[in-house]
Amino acid sequence: MFQGLSLEQAPPYAIPIKFYLSGAFYLILLSVAIAIYGFSIGSRFDYEVIALTHLLTLGFITHVMFGSLFQMLPVMLATPYTNVIKNATIIHIALNAGILSFVVGFLTNTPLLLYLAGAVLSGTFFYFAILSFKTVLLSQEKNTLVQNFAASFIALFAAALFGALALLGHFGFVDTLRYGNTHIAFMLFGWVFLLIVSVSYKIIPMFFVAKEFPIFLQKRLYPAQLVFLLLFAYAQLQEKMLLLTLTQILLCVPVIIFALLSIQILRKRKRARKDASIQLWYFAMGNAVLASLLFTGANILHVNLSFAIGFFTLFGAVYALINAMLYKIIPFLTWFHLSSNMVFDAEMGDVIPKKKMNIQINLYYLTYFFFLCTVLSPAFIIPSATLFLFSSLLLLLNILKAQKYYNEYMKKKVVFE
Amino acid sequence: MTIKDFMTSKHRECDHLLTQAEDFLESGEFDEALSKYSAFKNETLLHFTMEEEYLFPMLEEKSGIGSMGPTNVMRMEHAQAKSLFEKMDEAYNAKDKERAFSLGESMNILLQQHNLKEEQMLYTMMNSALAENAEEIVQKLQNYEN
């Protein structure tokens, strides 16, 4: 079986780009929502906080992850998604319907919209997890890369299940807190973390001409994390408090190991030239370590650091990492699709001008800094939201620029009769 | 030495030459950069020749995979790389550092993913399908260099 990267297995260029554009659009909505609701936020359980958090997690992170998987999973494993255009379209529409119902439902406290969101989103996530899991199983080889991807989809399935149960809790059916915490753990320590790990094993050595991650880590990290997650779910749902604290600490260990190791591997890469995406990667990994240490410390000392941990994890680590990957993936994807269509005039470096990427990234760093300043005064919310709006608009424009570049060059394609 | 070991070692040599060229470029030593880049280009093109003229036809015949299978995808990617070389020549000769780095990025990712496919699949197939004559084949490949 032909293993490796092949454009023959990949979907049309328009599919990942559609997901990326939608993701950037939700960032714009998020920045506006922060300006409107930012001052009235009190605790992580406020409905406004749940809505805003999910604009980032469902709106941006999920869109980019789904779009990248539709593109990269078939390329990495040489097994195509079945009916990729139809399935990607269904998932894209359902995901957007679900996100909008969810966010509006929480912001307006409308039970009907929340029921709808619960049904549509859990259905979408189950469908995507099963579809991707099936794609992984169809791979001829069952190597560690395949196993790592399978583990992330198992975590996604469980996370969606606990998320749906947590939503039901808002109507008094179950205890929202217990199911909500389990949902968050499976989403972040399972689905998001294991997916990032799986992709990194492949693309860090490839994009940066760096060493492979140790085989031991590739084989042992994901089963350990799945076991910790199962223990966490048991402890959380059965309220075994000592075990819960222990598993919360254990879940952070693989994150810290991976973050430090990826920094070390990148620092020793052969292509020594620095670029913005490497700086973002270091930044993201630093935030991941910081968030993990805070999470561990908060559990041991029984202090509430939910906002700080959430901020460093989602905005400092996951957002930065995705931003870094987008600026590596989109130019390559655009150029590769073009040259595979025999359009050889295009150049990867021209797809998104470097200067515009750097401005967007610097605006992100500035936003991060201003958000930190909100600890000093809530007045910093407005400049933070404004900076984030500009950063998000620029990200959207940069992705649109890539799409325009692709379309313009495709017009020059020579068709041989 | 197996066919896979020999060809894989050549991939690493090419990687090394490109990173050396870029290191010189970074420090503004353009003559050295051009010299390393030329070595990288020559080695890579020689590698493509070994595959297209010698190894691929032999594998296609022995294994029955035909010329429209994975070897065809490899040939297409060789063509993509060759088109990039033309632009890299311009950039290195014009001492255009930014453009050379940008094109080097495309070349690097293209070659890395290309090499991965060859090392994971094609060379393994060659080791198996051409096992009987492996020693002779490696000898011939070494002679290509001279």
Side-chain angles (χ1 to χ4, degrees):
Chain A
M1 182 64 193
F2 187 33
Q3 286 288 320
L5 294 152
S6 166
L7 194 66
E8 289 180 342
Q9 309 284 358
Y13 178 76
I15 289 182
I17 291 296
K18 184 166 66 176
F19 278 84
Y20 296 158
L21 286 171
S22 307
F25 168 74
Y26 281 103
L27 289 180
I28 294 166
L29 281 189
L30 174 61
S31 52
V32 174
I34 291 170
I36 298 171
Y37 298 100
F39 288 99
S40 56
I41 283 167
S43 92
R44 64 170 266 219
F45 303 108
D46 287 350
Y47 275 18
E48 291 85 354
V49 175
I50 297 173
L52 264 56
T53 307
H54 284 81
L55 275 174
L56 181 62
T57 56
L58 290 171
F60 178 67
I61 298 171
T62 305
H63 263 109
V64 177
M65 286 171 113
F66 279 12
S68 298
L69 278 168
F70 274 124
Q71 174 68 39
M72 292 180 71
L73 196 68
V75 169
M76 284 198 214
L77 305 180
T79 49
Y81 274 94
T82 47
N83 296 323
V84 65
I85 297 176
K86 190 177 134 198
N87 277 321
T89 307
I90 292 170
I91 285 169
H92 186 247
I93 293 169
L95 184 62
N96 280 285
I99 297 167
L100 292 173
S101 310
F102 186 98
V103 173
V104 177
F106 270 108
L107 288 179
T108 59
N109 197 6
T110 311
L112 187 66
L113 282 175
L114 291 179
Y115 278 122
L116 181 70
V120 174
L121 284 174
S122 49
T124 309
F125 277 93
F126 290 147
Y127 189 58
F128 183 80
I130 292 167
L131 192 69
S132 302
F133 195 72
K134 201 176 114 190
T135 309
V136 164
L137 287 185
L138 283 173
S139 175
Q140 294 289 307
E141 277 202 45
K142 299 290 177 278
N143 56 27
T144 49
L145 184 72
V146 173
Q147 293 161 22
N148 274 279
F149 274 116
S152 72
F153 295 126
I154 290 168
L156 174 64
F157 193 89
L161 185 68
F162 288 118
L165 286 167
L167 203 54
L168 282 177
H170 287 281
F171 307 107
F173 294 112
V174 290
D175 180 354
T176 298
L177 182 63
R178 278 192 263 172
Y179 285 100
N181 283 343
T182 314
H183 161 71
I184 294 169
F186 270 87
M187 269 296 176
L188 289 177
F189 289 107
W191 155 241
V192 174
F193 174 61
L194 290 177
L195 186 65
I196 287 170
V197 161
S198 309
V199 172
S200 303
Y201 289 158
K202 195 84 170 178
I203 69 164
I204 287 190
M206 186 191 294
F207 282 9
F208 302 105
V209 194
K211 266 188 182 175
E212 297 271 341
F213 281 84
I215 296 295
F216 177 81
L217 194 82
Q218 296 190 34
K219 283 186 175 171
R220 299 283 175 257
L221 186 141
Y222 78 85
Q225 194 72 338
L226 285 183
V227 169
F228 297 156
L229 279 167
L230 284 175
L231 281 173
F232 175 90
Y234 169 76
Q236 178 72 71
L237 299 177
Q238 297 297 317
E239 294 191 314
K240 308 280 185 193
M241 300 320 286
L242 189 63
L243 182 64
L244 187 64
T245 304
L246 182 68
T247 52
Q248 283 170 331
I249 296 167
L250 283 174
L251 283 168
C252 292
V253 175
V255 178
I256 294 172
I257 291 173
F258 172 79
L260 296 178
L261 199 60
S262 72
I263 290 174
Q264 194 197 18
I265 288 174
L266 277 174
R267 283 179 67 84
K268 290 186 177 173
R269 71 194 182 279
K270 278 190 183 173
R271 290 195 86 224
R273 196 164 193 249
K274 285 177 188 166
D275 67 23
S277 72
I278 289 177
Q279 300 301 339
L280 266 177
W281 197 291
Y282 290 151
F283 186 80
M285 291 299 115
N287 272 278
V289 173
L290 179 62
S292 301
L293 293 176
L294 284 178
F295 187 57
T296 305
N299 280 314
I300 293 170
L301 302 171
H302 298 289
V303 287
N304 183 5
L305 295 174
S306 307
F307 273 115
I309 295 164
F311 173 77
F312 291 125
T313 305
L314 293 176
F315 195 66
V318 183
Y319 174 86
L321 201 69
I322 289 180
N323 204 338
M325 283 199 181
L326 277 177
Y327 282 155
K328 275 280 170 199
I329 293 169
I330 293 176
F332 177 68
L333 202 66
T334 308
W335 172 78
F336 195 61
H337 271 271
L338 284 169
S339 55
S340 297
N341 277 295
M342 313 304 274
V343 178
F344 292 124
D345 292 343
E347 288 189 20
M348 201 170 123
D350 297 338
V351 174
I352 304 174
K354 210 170 176 181
K355 199 177 162 191
K356 288 187 176 171
M357 285 195 222
N358 287 334
I359 294 172
Q360 186 269 314
I361 291 167
N362 287 331
L363 279 171
Y364 159 71
Y365 287 135
L366 211 55
T367 307
Y368 176 93
F369 173 74
F370 270 77
F371 271 130
L372 287 182
C373 292
T374 55
V375 174
L376 304 172
S377 163
F380 281 100
I381 286 173
I382 293 297
S384 306
T386 310
L387 282 167
F388 192 43
L389 177 66
F390 285 126
S391 169
S392 307
L393 273 169
L394 197 52
L395 180 66
L396 182 78
L397 289 174
N398 284 344
I399 303 170
L400 279 170
K401 168 84 180 67
Q403 191 189 34
K404 192 177 161 210
Y405 187 89
Y406 175 82
N407 291 338
E408 280 176 2
Y409 273 88
M410 275 304 276
K411 283 181 200 159
K412 298 178 186 172
K413 183 182 171 183
V414 179
V415 181
F416 296 100
E417 294 291 334
Chain B
M1 188 187 276
T2 65
I3 301 169
K4 181 176 178 172
D5 288 343
F6 179 79
M7 295 301 278
T8 302
S9 72
K10 291 287 151 196
H11 283 165
R12 300 294 166 269
E13 280 176 28
C14 293
D15 290 348
H16 188 58
L17 287 169
L18 179 59
T19 53
Q20 279 184 316
E22 291 191 334
D23 285 344
F24 282 122
L25 207 58
E26 178 77 63
S27 56
E29 295 166 83
F30 292 108
D31 292 341
E32 288 83 350
L34 183 61
S35 151
K36 288 292 174 190
Y37 162 71
S38 301
F40 161 71
K41 182 184 166 185
N42 293 339
E43 276 297 311
T44 307
L45 291 176
L46 179 69
H47 190 84
F48 291 169
T49 307
M50 287 178 192
E51 291 178 336
E52 290 182 12
E53 289 183 358
Y54 184 52
L55 288 173
F56 289 174
M58 204 158 34
L59 178 71
E60 284 158 4
E61 194 189 326
K62 272 272 185 184
S63 65
I65 57 171
S67 60
M68 292 312 289
T71 46
N72 190 43
V73 180
M74 297 299 106
R75 285 190 184 94
M76 279 172 59
E77 289 180 1
H78 289 174
Q80 282 177 289
K82 283 173 189 168
S83 78
L84 269 176
F85 274 129
E86 288 173 23
K87 294 178 182 178
M88 286 179 83
D89 288 349
E90 288 168 16
Y92 271 87
N93 285 318
K95 299 180 180 178
D96 186 342
K97 196 167 158 179
E98 280 311 308
R99 186 155 182 249
F101 273 123
S102 168
L103 293 164
E105 176 95 349
S106 310
M107 180 63 89
N108 175 59
I109 300 176
L110 175 71
L111 288 182
Q112 291 297 323
Q113 59 88 34
H114 174 78
N115 295 348
L116 196 77
K117 276 183 255 182
E118 292 189 333
E119 289 163 26
Q120 273 189 347
M121 196 272 299
L122 270 188
Y123 296 161
T124 309
M125 280 172 76
M126 284 174 190
N127 269 0
S128 152
L130 310 172
E132 279 179 22
N133 308 317
E135 211 172 304
E136 188 191 324
I137 293 168
V138 172
Q139 183 73 45
K140 177 101 185 255
L141 291 170
Q142 281 167 339
N143 288 339
Y144 257 92
E145 296 183 301
N146 302 321

